[in-house]
Amino acid sequence: MNEQNDIDISDGKEWERDLQVNYVVQSGSAKGLTFRVRQATYRSDFTADVNELRVITEMPINIF
């Protein structure tokens, strides 16, 4: 038996927005330290909505 699930997506909508802000310390003992904030929003008629916020820090390390 062949069963087929047809999904009509002609009336559905989806969208995504991604934002990112960076800041790099320019001088002092924390020179090169980077702060990054990312925000993402996803909306869809087909799946669950997604809201995401990430805060990322990066510090360069000289190992030599």
Side-chain angles (χ1 to χ4, degrees):
M1 183 163 103
N2 239 352
E3 188 174 320
Q4 184 176 356
N5 293 323
D6 292 328
I7 299 173
D8 182 10
I9 61 171
S10 61
D11 291 332
K13 294 182 172 110
E14 65 180 346
W15 60 270
E16 180 174 343
R17 176 180 50 231
D18 301 299
L19 303 170
Q20 178 171 300
V21 176
N22 296 332
Y23 176 76
V24 180
V25 177
Q26 300 296 311
S27 62
S29 60
K31 183 177 180 175
L33 179 64
T34 302
F35 297 96
R36 181 177 306 147
V37 177
R38 289 183 182 170
Q39 192 279 331
T41 303
Y42 175 75
R43 297 291 182 262
S44 174
D45 293 340
F46 313 113
T47 63
D49 293 343
V50 175
N51 293 306
E52 183 177 281
L53 178 67
R54 295 183 182 194
V55 179
I56 303 162
T57 58
E58 297 176 356
M59 181 65 174
I61 298 175
N62 229 349
I63 58 174
F64 295 104

